[in-house]
């Protein structure tokens, strides 16, 4: 039996019954009666200077055991640049920013003490939009930006531009000057999207043996460890982070803003402290998917080839750079992906505003960059008279083609996937008849994403009963990776059944470095580290068995819980017998493995300010949507949805299909329903489930999906991450389908009924960005 055949199976989730029956213990289920409860004093203005902060009265309130302010944790943290204080020190930069925190015996006592804190703030006129932030005379959201520590070199910064990344390949000016081309220009805008995992951010901090111990709902235990050490000015080794099951993440729990607060209060009080956001706090101060503004220009020949392309992407990072500094990298690989382009230059800017910070969200800026790129592609086809499917087939990236940073792509993947979509459509049939007199539209779109690799470590211990324990810093955030694919991988390597593989909860004291769960990286990175660990375990196991059986180790195999002589089923002995002998003679049977990026080369000089210059593991999707639009109400009904997804190898097709269904539904919310608005005083208006319109049961459409296998991947057994990418092209497919249904250009998401009606009646003004200069040079910092 091959490693692949021993690993692939439709394994159900081992945690499903516990979660369905309410037995799973999340972080807030671990709160004990003897713990202190912390609450945050948050700003009620979007911008201001703190003139007075007096917490002495709060300290005298019943039950209060500690009050902390920015002076108690003065270190700054961030990604790329350290610009973020744990608690506001002298400047308020967004509505809801934490200023002080109170720990008391009960939450009620802590909230009562908030009322007696004396806070005097000199309000400032907020910089509310990116257009305001980029004005020449705009007030600086961070007056001292030049003094911030630069953690990662390479990005350009200035004024309210927190970070700028750009890519440039080929002679774009020459491409746009050719006499045989047509220039098509498009502008798009998208709003924010809230993650709304059912479990809000929550952390429990204690101080044990001179070290902080934080139990938290996070996707990034090592980031929490490092940020806590940084803001508390501790060596990170004095911080331990453990992670119970996580009640949903989607990128929100890459944030590490509340965990250090619990550690700080635990050190001050000597008690264990819990801090949990209310639903309103979670939604009003959340790290949304950022709002963005995109302008794209393409030079296209009469034959339908893209000679040149340039684009500007403005990303609202809110009050602090955070994830957006890193996410500027992705524009080169998403807006600059999908298609073969002769020459290209792209710039992506993270812009400071006095609004709540934004952050990573499933497929990050790829979701709106794909929407913009695919709508722009349809506008090219409309302007030049091309068939949209044939244009895509002619221009999608293939073997040997160059990406925006000069990366050379391997294999033809998107072209065959488009063919597979036509086959899938033929097998399912279309749903035009169900439009029933409404306006009907169908659209096929493509998308390019990538698997984040980066460092991961794993240790595998083979136990005396024949079971195996996998120790990693991986976190189960609901995707099932830790309870499905990783047990399958380890079991396949060691000849065990998956239910014999125990996966430990993440613990930074017990497991090696891991950059976190997200970006579709867990199966690939931790899976590869686990394969390496299993190789060491298998080598020790076979060596011991060889001595016991008087057989060369290379003539032995492990399968079905036994070590057998190759070609002689039923020979040999059980794994427990071999492990017992090893433990008595040479010691425990254990192995460790590691994995990190292979650093696929980009073209020299093409990428500037990027955290990832080229893609180690590109991932492709083809999505198709059929919609019906009611011309009287503007309501959009999704009649059918089809997906062809590049999965490398589907170790668990059942799990992959579940991720595709969930990702598409989440994408439908972004495309049609979910809208975040900022009020005049700087608040997020939609701060509960009544005001924020999530997809409901009647909005869900069954997804027909085809798993495309065989594309190149450095992942274990040829795998690619399957959880991140299903949302990537949903906004694009819906936007293009609606545009075809109504015969009007769609340049903004979400497509709520009022917006669709305005489009139908030509009362929706097209996006205009006077703050994006017409010339390329004026949109970059040099």
């Amino acid at each position: 039996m091959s490693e692949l055949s021993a690993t692939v199976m439709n394994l159900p989730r081992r945690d499903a019954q516990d979660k369905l029956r309410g037995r799973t213990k999340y972080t807030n289920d671990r709160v004990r009666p003897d713990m202190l409860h912390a609450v945050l004093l948050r700003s009620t203005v979007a911008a201001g200077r703190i003139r007075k902060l007096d917490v002495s009265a709060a300290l005298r309130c019943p039950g209060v055991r500690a009050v902390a302010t920015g002076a108690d944790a003065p270190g700054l943290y961030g990604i790329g640049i350290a610009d973020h204080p744990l608690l506001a020190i002298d400047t308020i930069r967004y509505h809801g920013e934490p200023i002080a925190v109170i720990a008391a015996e009960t939450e009620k006592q802590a909230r009562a003490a908030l009322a007696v804190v004396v806070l005097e703030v000199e309000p400032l006129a907020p910089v509310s939009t990116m257009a305001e932030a980029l004005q020449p005379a705009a007030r600086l959201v961070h007056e001292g930006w030049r003094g911030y520590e630069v953690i990662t070199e390479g990005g350009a910064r200035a004024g309210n531009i927190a970070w700028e990344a750009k890519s440039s390949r080929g002679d774009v000016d020459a491409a746009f000057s050719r006499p045989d081309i047509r220039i098509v220009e498009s502008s798009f805008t998208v709003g924010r999207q809230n993650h709304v995992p059912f479990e809000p951010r929550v952390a429990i901090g204690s101080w044990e043996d001179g070290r902080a111990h934080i139990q938290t709902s996070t996707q990034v235990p090592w980031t929490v460890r490092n940020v806590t050490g940084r803001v508390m000015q501790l060596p990170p080794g004095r911080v331990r982070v453990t992670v119970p099951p996580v009640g949903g993440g989607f990128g929100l729990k890459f944030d590490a803003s509340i965990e250090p607060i619990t550690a700080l209060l635990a050190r001050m009080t000597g008690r264990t402290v819990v801090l949990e956001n209310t639903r309103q706090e979670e939604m009003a101060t959340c790290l949304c998917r950022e709002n963005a503004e995109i302008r794209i220009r393409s030079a296209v020949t009469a034959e339908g080839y893209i000679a040149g392309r340039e684009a500007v992407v403005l990303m609202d990072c809110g009050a602090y750079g955070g994830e957006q500094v890193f996410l500027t990298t992705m524009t080169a690989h998403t807006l600059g992906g999908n298609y073969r382009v002769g020459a290209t230059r792209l710039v992506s800017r993270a812009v400071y505003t006095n609004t709540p910070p934004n952050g990573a969200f499933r497929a990050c800026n790829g979701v709106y960059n794909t929407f913009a790129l695919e709508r722009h592609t349809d506008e090219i086809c409309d302007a030049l008279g091309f068939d949209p499917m044939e244009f895509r087939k002619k221009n999608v990236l293939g073997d040997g083609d160059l990406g925006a940073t000069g990366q050379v792509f391997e294999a033809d993947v998107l072209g065959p996937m488009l063919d597979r979509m036509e086959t899938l459509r033929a097998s399912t049939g279309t749903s035009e008849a169900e439009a029933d007199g409404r306006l009907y539209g169908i659209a096929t779109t493509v998308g390019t994403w990538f698997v984040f690799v980066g460092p991961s470590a794993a240790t595998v211990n083979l136990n005396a009963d024949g079971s195996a324990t996998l120790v990693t810093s991986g976190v189960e955030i609901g995707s099932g990776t830790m309870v499905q694919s990783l047990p399958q991988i380890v079991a396949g390597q060691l000849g065990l059944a998956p239910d014999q593989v125990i996966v430990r909860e993440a613990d930074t004291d017990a497991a090696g470095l891991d950059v976190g769960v997200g970006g579709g990286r867990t199966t690939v990175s931790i899976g590869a580290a686990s394969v390496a660990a299993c190789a060491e375990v298998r080598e020790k196991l076979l060596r011991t068995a060889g001595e016991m059986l008087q057989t060369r180790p290379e003539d032995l195999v492990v399968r079905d819980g036994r070590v057998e002589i190759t070609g002689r089923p039923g020979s040999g002995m059980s794994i427990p017998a071999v492990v017992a002998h090893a433990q008595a003679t040479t010691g425990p049977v254990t192995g460790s493995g590691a994995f990190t990026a292979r650093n696929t080369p980009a073209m020299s000089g093409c990428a500037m300010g990027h955290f990832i210059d080229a893609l180690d593991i590109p991932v492709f999707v083809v999505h198709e949507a059929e919609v019906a639009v009611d011309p009287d109400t503007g309501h959009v009904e999704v009649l059918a949805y089809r997906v062809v997804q590049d999965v490398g190898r589907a170790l668990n097709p059942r799990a992959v299909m579940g991720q595709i269904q969930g990702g598409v539904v989440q994408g439908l919310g972004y495309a049609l329903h979910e809208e975040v608005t900022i009020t005049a005083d700087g608040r997020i208006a939609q701060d509960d489930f009544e005001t924020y319109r999530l997809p409901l049961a009647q909005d869900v459409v069954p997804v027909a999906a085809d798993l495309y296998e065989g594309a190149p991947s450095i992942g274990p057994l040829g795998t690619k991450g399957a959880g991140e990418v299903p949302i990537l092209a949903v906004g694009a497919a819906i936007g293009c389908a609606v545009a075809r249904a109504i015969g009007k250009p769609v340049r903004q998401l979400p497509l709520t009924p009022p917006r669709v009606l305005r489009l139908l009646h030509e009362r929706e003004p097209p996006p205009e960005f006077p703050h994006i200069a017409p010339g390329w040079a004026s949109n970059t910092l040099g």
Side-chain angles (χ1 to χ4, degrees), residues 65-142:
R65 298 293 175 258
V67 180
T69 68
D72 296 301
L76 301 180
Y77 66 96
I79 298 174
I81 47 174
D83 63 356
H84 199 159
L86 187 61
L87 300 164
I89 297 171
D90 51 19
T91 303
I92 290 168
R93 296 188 175 93
Y94 69 95
H95 194 292
E97 181 163 16
I99 300 169
V101 61
I102 297 175
E105 296 292 343
T106 68
E107 181 182 347
K108 183 176 180 180
Q109 290 173 327
R111 293 199 179 279
L114 287 180
V116 300
V117 174
V118 177
L119 174 65
E120 295 179 6
V121 175
E122 175 192 348
L124 299 172
V127 178
S128 300
T129 67
M130 292 189 288
E132 294 175 20
L134 294 176
Q135 292 301 312
R139 183 180 63 79
L140 295 178
V141 176
H142 289 261

Side-chain angles (χ1 to χ4, degrees), residues 542-563:
L542 295 180
R543 187 171 65 239
T544 299
E547 294 171 356
M548 297 172 71
L549 297 169
Q550 296 296 295
T551 304
R552 297 186 309 168
E554 54 266 35
D555 293 332
L556 299 174
V557 294
V558 289
R559 64 184 177 195
D560 299 329
R562 297 180 61 79
V563 180

Side-chain angles (χ1 to χ4, degrees), residues 40 69 132 179 203 235 256 342 358 360 434 466 504 541 671 715 736 762 765 773:
L40 293 164
T69 68
E132 294 175 20
N358 290 312
E434 297 177 28
R504 280 283 309 273
L541 188 70
C736 290
E762 299 185 344

Side-chain angles (χ1 to χ4, degrees), residues 691-755:
T691 53
Y692 188 71
R693 169 71 161 89
L694 288 165
L696 303 175
Q698 65 265 31
D699 300 311
V700 175
V701 58
V703 178
D706 181 5
L707 308 184
Y708 183 88
E709 296 189 284
S713 175
I714 62 172
L717 307 177
T719 58
K720 295 187 178 184
E724 187 93 356
V725 72
I727 194 176
L728 180 69
V730 182
I734 298 297
C736 290
V738 169
R740 293 181 192 175
I742 66 177
K744 309 289 182 183
V746 168
R747 293 180 176 139
Q748 184 171 357
L749 295 178
L751 288 165
T752 59
R755 178 163 290 125

Side-chain angles (χ1 to χ4, degrees), residues 472-553:
T472 80
S473 287
V475 176
E476 176 51 56
I477 63 171
S479 63
T481 306
M482 304 299 295
V483 293
Q484 289 174 296
S485 61
L486 290 182
Q488 286 178 233
I489 288 171
V490 172
Q493 296 292 307
L494 299 179
L496 306 175
D499 62 6
Q500 292 177 283
V501 179
I502 303 147
V503 182
R504 280 283 309 273
E505 289 183 355
D507 183 340
T508 56
D509 274 4
L513 173 66
D514 188 85
V515 297
V517 173
R521 65 176 303 277
T522 311
T523 297
V524 169
S525 292
I526 299 181
S530 299
V531 167
C534 287
E536 184 179 348
V537 169
R538 194 169 57 242
E539 188 273 332
K540 293 177 180 178
L541 188 70
L542 295 180
R543 187 171 65 239
T544 299
E547 294 171 356
M548 297 172 71
L549 297 169
Q550 296 296 295
T551 304
R552 297 186 309 168

Side-chain angles (χ1 to χ4, degrees), residues 593-641:
F595 178 81
T596 193
R598 73 175 184 183
N599 297 316
T600 298
M603 189 179 292
S604 178
C606 286
M608 291 143 278
H610 286 70
F611 290 77
I612 301 171
D613 287 351
L615 310 182
D616 282 344
I617 308 178
V619 185
F620 303 101
V621 295
V622 177
H623 282 209
E624 185 169 272
E626 295 182 71
V627 302
V629 180
D630 189 321
D632 296 321
T633 66
H635 178 262
V636 177
E637 180 184 356
V638 181
L639 302 175
Y641 206 93

